[in-house]
Amino acid sequence: MLTPSFELFQDDIFLTIAIKAPFTKVSETEIFIEDSDFKFYSKPYFLRLNLPGNIREDGRETANYDADKGTFTIRAPKQTPGQVFEGLDMLTKLLAPRGDGSAKQPTIEVMGEESMLPSDALDEEEDIDWSVEQTPFIETSVLADGHKYGFGCLRSGVFKRLQSELCEVVDVRDPDSVAPGQRRSQRKEEEANKFDDDHYLADLYQDDIVQHLLSFRPPWDTLWKQLSKGGKRRDLVTLTEEEKEKMRKLPNKEYLIDSSLLPSVYLGLVDIIFCYMYSYRVTEGEHNVESGWTISKLSATLSWLETFSSLQEMLVTCYRRCLCFPLHRHWSLLETVTEDTCRVLALGRRQVLKCLLDIQTILTDTDQRYILNDLYINDYCVWIQGVRNEKLDSLAAALRKINLRKSDVDLSLEELEAAAHSAMEEQEGVVRKLEKLSLKATSDTDSDDSSEEDEETDSEEDSEDTDSSVHSTDDHNTNTLKKEKRTHCDDINTQTDDSVTPTDDTVQQTDDTVQQTDDTVQQADATNTETDDTNTEIDDTNTQTDDTSTQTDDMVHAQMSPELKRLQL
C-alpha cells in the first residue's frame, strides 16, 4: 500500500481533505469517517488520519475527484461548528495511530520508575520552571547494552554495534561504557584545551567579517516582527511541499517519556536549534559542506550525547563550544544567535519543525552523521508536532531573560581582554613616544639648518662689510697718494720756477712729466675699479698701483736730477 500525498484545510463548519491519488481506480474508492478517525482506501493508496477534532457524517459530506489533477477533495462537517483544529499541518502526528494506553504496547518503552504517562501527556503536563536546575535521571548501574543516550535517553548499545562507522561522529569515546557525569567532565576538559587565546583576540579586535554577519537578517526576523504586532502563527509560517514530503516519510511513533527526563528533552532541542542558528547566520542561509560539522560539533547534545539539567547550563555550554571550535568566535555574534533562537521558538512548533527538517537534510548529506538523525533528529521531528506552542513561548521567554556574562563560561575571557587592552595601551604609549622623538629630531634638524643658514647669511654680510671697508680704505689711500704726488710735483715745480726761470724747456719737460704722472694715476684708478669684486684682486691692484707710483717718482726724480745739478752748479 502507498501513502498518498495529502493536505487539510478548514473553515468554521467544514474540514477539507485533499488527497492526491493519480493512479487510482475511482469506482473502488472507500471512505470511512468516525469522530476523529478518518480512513481512505483506493487501490493502491491507503490513508488513515488521527484528527485533532471530531467530524461526522450527516448528509452534508461530499467527495469529488479531479481527473486532470488526480486529486480527491473530501469535505466533512465538524461535530462542533466553530471549533479550530490545531496542527493540521503536523502531518506525521496526523498519520500516527490513536493510542490506547492499556491495549497496546507503546512504540517506545518508558524509562524510569512507574510513572506511565498517557498519550496526551504533553497537553496536560505542568509548566516547567526553566530557571530551576532539574535533577537529571541517573542510572544506578550499567545496563546490558550500556549507558543510555539519544532522544529521551531511550537508546543504548548503538555504538557497540556500529563502532567502526561512528568513531568520528561523536567526540566521546565508547559512550556505552561512559557515564553521563564522566562525559561532561571530559567535554569540559576538551573545551578548555581547545580554547585559543590568539584566535579569540583576533576576532575581537579584527571584527569586520563578524560585523557583516551581525547585519544579516534571516527570514524569521520578519515573521517574528509580524507576530509581535499580533499576527497568527498558522498564517505566518507555512510548510513547503518538500517539507511535507519529508514529514510523510517520518516513522509513526508514540513517545511516552518519563517526567524526570522531559526537561532535558526540551533543553536538548534548544541546544540543537541554537547551533543550527549559528550555522545559518555564519553561512548567511546558504549551507555548505561544513554545515553538518558545525551543527554536530557545536551541539553538545549531538557530539557528546549530553543531557542538560538547566537552561543556564545549556546556554553556557553553547557559548563555550562556539568560542572554542568554529571559525568565527565573537561574543556579540553569540548574543545575536541567542536572540535568533528565541525568535524561532516564539514562532511556534511549525517554525521549529522547519528547522529540524533542514537539519535532517544537512546531516543526511554528511558522511556518517546520518546516524545522528536516527538518534535524535527524526524523533525530534515527530515529537515536536505534539508540543504546545505555549510551552515553546515560555522556553523562549526564559532564554531571553538569561543575562550571560563572560565570567560564566569559565574561559578567563575578562582577564584575557584586560591583558590585551593593557598591552595595546602600552604599545600605543611606545608609539606616541616614538612619534614625539621623531618630531623632536625633525625640529632639531630644522633648527640646525636654520642656524647654518643664519651663519651663512651673517658671514656673507660680514664679507660684504669687509669688502666695502677694504674698498673704502683702498680708495682713501689712492686719493691720499694722488694728493701727495701732486703736492710734491707742485713743490718741485715751484722750486724749479723760482730757481730756474729762464729754463722754459726744462719746465715744459717737467709739465709733461707731471701730465704723464697724472695719466699713470688715472690708469691706477681704473685698475682699482676693475678689481672691486674680490679682495685678492684689490690687493694685487693696490700693489701694482704702489709700484706704478714708485716708478713715477723715480722717473720724475730721474728727469729732474740733471736740471737740479745744473742749478747747483
Side-chain angles (χ1 to χ4, degrees):
M1 292 291 181
L2 300 177
T3 300
S5 172
F6 66 97
E7 289 182 295
L8 289 87
F9 310 95
Q10 65 177 328
D11 54 30
D12 291 339
I13 301 175
F14 287 94
L15 175 70
T16 302
I17 305 172
I19 303 173
K20 191 173 182 61
F23 308 110
T24 186
K25 189 173 183 180
V26 179
S27 61
E28 298 181 0
T29 300
E30 297 180 11
I31 299 174
F32 173 80
I33 297 175
E34 182 180 1
D35 296 332
S36 63
D37 194 11
F38 173 87
K39 296 184 180 70
F40 169 86
Y41 172 76
S42 185
K43 192 177 181 179
Y45 301 101
F46 175 75
L47 176 65
R48 180 179 58 193
L49 299 178
N50 179 23
L51 301 173
N54 294 334
I55 57 177
R56 63 183 179 180
E57 291 183 276
D58 59 2
R60 292 180 294 168
E61 65 277 1
T62 60
N64 299 314
Y65 180 73
D66 188 337
D68 294 332
K69 297 180 180 180
T71 303
F72 285 91
T73 303
I74 302 164
R75 299 185 73 213
K78 296 180 178 179
Q79 194 173 60
T80 304
Q83 180 185 2
V84 178
F85 290 3
E86 297 289 345
L88 292 182
D89 53 353
M90 302 291 105
L91 304 185
T92 306
K93 183 174 177 60
L94 295 174
L95 289 171
R98 186 174 182 82
D100 186 7
S102 61
K104 292 184 179 181
Q105 193 75 3
T107 305
I108 296 180
E109 182 181 359
V110 177
M111 304 301 296
E113 299 178 358
E114 297 178 359
S115 57
M116 301 297 293
L117 302 179
S119 60
D120 57 348
L122 291 177
D123 293 333
E124 299 177 358
E125 66 188 23
E126 297 181 358
D127 291 335
I128 298 174
D129 187 356
W130 304 109
S131 62
V132 177
E133 184 170 349
Q134 304 289 321
T135 302
F137 176 76
I138 300 176
E139 297 175 357
T140 57
S141 61
V142 180
L143 302 179
D145 290 333
H147 291 282
K148 300 294 184 180
Y149 43 78
F151 176 82
C153 291
L154 299 173
R155 298 290 192 91
S156 63
V158 176
F159 290 89
K160 285 184 177 180
R161 297 190 298 269
L162 302 173
Q163 186 65 41
S164 60
E165 296 182 19
L166 303 180
C167 58
E168 296 180 359
V169 175
V170 296
D171 292 338
V172 58
R173 297 296 180 90
D174 194 12
D176 291 293
S177 61
V178 179
Q182 293 177 321
R183 295 179 208 158
R184 188 173 298 110
S185 299
Q186 294 176 8
R187 172 180 60 79
K188 291 181 178 180
E189 182 179 356
E190 183 208 32
E191 291 165 359
N193 293 333
K194 291 294 184 179
F195 180 71
D196 190 331
D197 297 353
D198 295 336
H199 194 142
Y200 173 76
L201 292 176
D203 283 358
L204 178 64
Y205 292 105
Q206 300 175 1
D207 60 349
D208 294 342
I209 298 178
V210 172
Q211 293 302 324
H212 173 73
L213 296 177
L214 293 178
S215 64
F216 172 69
R217 292 292 175 264
W220 45 80
D221 267 17
T222 303
L223 300 177
W224 183 81
K225 291 177 181 178
Q226 295 176 2
L227 179 66
S228 302
K229 295 178 181 179
K232 296 182 178 180
R233 291 187 180 93
R234 63 174 177 268
D235 298 330
L236 296 176
V237 183
T238 58
L239 297 170
T240 65
E241 289 298 325
E242 181 181 1
E243 291 168 341
K244 292 177 181 179
E245 181 62 29
K246 292 179 182 178
M247 293 171 63
R248 283 189 286 269
K249 293 179 180 179
L250 291 172
N252 297 331
K253 292 183 180 181
E254 289 181 348
Y255 296 95
L256 303 178
I257 304 173
D258 188 272
S259 58
S260 64
L261 292 174
L262 191 58
S264 66
V265 174
Y266 279 102
L267 296 176
L269 172 68
V270 179
D271 172 54
I272 294 171
I273 295 298
F274 181 97
C275 298
Y276 172 75
M277 293 293 103
Y278 179 94
S279 175
Y280 196 97
R281 180 167 286 275
V282 298
T283 59
E284 298 182 72
E286 299 179 0
H287 300 305
N288 53 39
V289 294
E290 295 295 329
S291 297
W293 178 90
T294 301
I295 297 171
S296 59
K297 187 69 174 181
L298 299 186
S299 171
T301 300
L302 300 180
S303 59
W304 281 90
L305 313 178
E306 183 66 89
T307 55
F308 299 104
S309 58
S310 70
L311 197 58
Q312 173 90 7
E313 179 193 13
M314 182 279 305
L315 193 59
V316 167
T317 301
C318 289
Y319 271 54
R320 280 173 61 91
R321 298 189 69 78
C322 289
L323 292 173
C324 294
F325 297 104
L327 177 61
H328 305 294
R329 308 174 188 180
H330 198 280
W331 190 267
S332 297
L333 178 60
L334 302 185
E335 291 178 333
T336 303
V337 171
T338 303
E339 180 60 26
D340 289 341
T341 305
C342 292
R343 294 184 177 186
V344 167
L345 293 174
L347 286 170
R349 62 190 175 192
R350 195 176 302 176
Q351 181 62 57
V352 174
L353 176 59
K354 289 173 70 71
C355 295
L356 290 171
L357 291 173
D358 197 16
I359 295 172
Q360 182 194 52
T361 301
I362 293 172
L363 296 180
T364 300
D365 296 338
T366 306
D367 291 342
Q368 298 181 344
R369 288 189 170 84
Y370 66 89
I371 196 65
L372 296 176
N373 285 334
D374 294 335
L375 288 174
Y376 289 98
I377 306 304
N378 292 343
D379 291 326
Y380 268 117
C381 288
V382 177
W383 172 80
I384 194 63
Q385 298 180 47
V387 174
R388 292 183 294 125
N389 287 327
E390 291 77 11
K391 186 70 68 177
L392 298 178
D393 279 339
S394 67
L395 194 56
L399 182 61
R400 187 175 277 111
K401 289 180 181 178
I402 295 179
N403 184 19
L404 205 62
R405 297 172 298 179
K406 293 183 179 180
S407 58
D408 294 332
V409 299
D410 196 23
L411 293 174
S412 302
L413 299 183
E414 294 177 334
E415 294 81 356
L416 181 61
E417 291 180 16
H421 184 68
S422 177
M424 291 179 65
E425 286 185 344
E426 182 178 354
Q427 184 178 5
E428 290 176 358
V430 172
V431 171
R432 285 195 295 268
K433 289 181 180 179
L434 292 176
E435 290 177 350
K436 289 181 180 179
L437 292 175
S438 177
L439 291 174
K440 184 177 180 181
T442 303
S443 177
D444 292 343
T445 303
D446 294 341
S447 177
D448 293 340
D449 294 341
S450 177
S451 298
E452 292 178 359
E453 291 178 358
D454 293 341
E455 290 177 359
E456 291 178 358
T457 302
D458 294 340
S459 177
E460 290 177 358
E461 292 177 355
D462 293 342
S463 177
E464 291 178 357
D465 293 341
T466 302
D467 293 342
S468 299
S469 177
V470 170
H471 287 308
S472 177
T473 303
D474 291 341
D475 292 341
H476 178 72
N477 293 336
T478 301
N479 293 332
T480 301
L481 180 61
K482 288 165 64 179
K483 289 180 180 180
E484 291 177 352
K485 290 179 186 271
R486 287 176 180 171
T487 302
H488 182 66
C489 291
D490 290 342
D491 292 341
I492 293 174
N493 290 335
T494 302
Q495 292 177 4
T496 302
D497 290 337
D498 294 338
S499 303
V500 188
T501 302
T503 56
D504 294 335
D505 294 334
T506 301
V507 173
Q508 185 64 37
Q509 290 178 357
T510 301
D511 292 337
D512 294 337
T513 301
V514 171
Q515 184 65 38
Q516 186 176 359
T517 300
D518 290 338
D519 294 338
T520 301
V521 171
Q522 291 177 358
Q523 291 178 0
D525 292 338
T527 302
N528 288 333
T529 301
E530 292 176 355
T531 59
D532 288 339
D533 296 332
T534 60
N535 293 333
T536 303
E537 291 180 355
I538 291 172
D539 293 336
D540 293 339
T541 303
N542 289 338
T543 302
Q544 185 177 0
T545 303
D546 292 338
D547 293 339
T548 304
S549 298
T550 302
Q551 291 177 1
T552 303
D553 292 339
D554 293 338
M555 290 175 62
V556 171
H557 286 294
Q559 292 179 358
M560 292 180 63
S561 295
E563 297 296 333
L564 293 174
K565 289 180 180 181
R566 275 193 307 178
L567 291 173
Q568 293 175 356
L569 293 175

